Amino acid sequence: MPLSEHEQRMLEQMERALYAEDPKFASALEGSGLRTYTRRRVYQAVAGFLVGIALLMTGVAAKQVWLSVVGFLVMLGCAVLAVTGWRKAPKPGEQPAAGVAGAPPTRGQVRQKRSMMDRIEQRWQRRRDEQGGH
């Protein structure tokens, strides 16, 4: 259910008041941003890949096939995570959609978020209408 104009204005006022009152807390609530998240995910996947190699080699050296298989599966899973995380990461110089962490969103960013939500809501309504309004 979409917010009314009055509710949207109230929400925007509350967000502005939160940023004005405690910008550090507000930026912590906002998150560290997509770029930092994807970079961290890729680093974790690379570390997991190295653990998978170690398990694979340990399994070969100890002649434990199950350990080698587990190591291979860990390597495979981490490789998939690294590749998908790398593809989702914003390009250098490109701003993530949420804006820079630690800075309050500009009026254009708030409008962009709202328009994205409007598009999602419109798609949802269209799907509901196509299915007979259930």
Side-chain angles (χ1 to χ4, degrees):
M1 175 176 230
L3 296 175
S4 69
E5 287 184 33
H6 175 69
E7 292 170 331
Q8 288 176 353
R9 281 194 305 266
M10 293 295 292
L11 183 61
E12 287 175 7
Q13 287 175 353
M14 289 170 32
E15 287 176 355
R16 283 194 297 265
L18 177 62
Y19 274 105
E21 191 174 306
D22 195 355
K24 189 175 181 181
F25 178 68
S27 64
L29 287 178
E30 186 177 284
S32 58
L34 179 64
R35 187 178 179 110
T36 304
Y37 170 75
T38 53
R39 186 180 302 145
R40 187 179 330 128
R41 181 176 170 191
V42 169
Y43 289 152
Q44 289 172 345
V46 169
F49 189 84
L50 294 175
V51 168
I53 289 175
L55 287 172
L56 180 76
M57 295 305 215
T58 302
V60 168
K63 297 181 182 171
Q64 297 290 325
V65 176
W66 66 271
L67 190 59
S68 297
V69 170
V70 168
F72 176 77
L73 292 175
V74 168
M75 289 170 51
L76 183 65
C78 289
V80 168
L81 283 176
V83 170
T84 58
W86 192 261
R87 287 184 182 168
K88 290 180 183 178
K91 306 290 184 266
E94 183 179 76
Q95 290 293 331
V100 179
T106 63
R107 186 178 205 126
Q109 289 171 341
V110 170
R111 220 179 269 139
Q112 182 181 13
K113 285 181 188 177
R114 191 178 322 133
S115 66
M116 181 185 71
M117 288 303 293
D118 290 340
R119 286 193 312 264
I120 291 171
E121 288 172 3
Q122 288 171 356
R123 288 179 191 162
W124 180 258
Q125 288 296 334
R126 216 175 314 131
R127 287 181 187 154
R128 286 184 64 193
D129 293 342
E130 289 172 0
Q131 294 176 354
H134 295 290

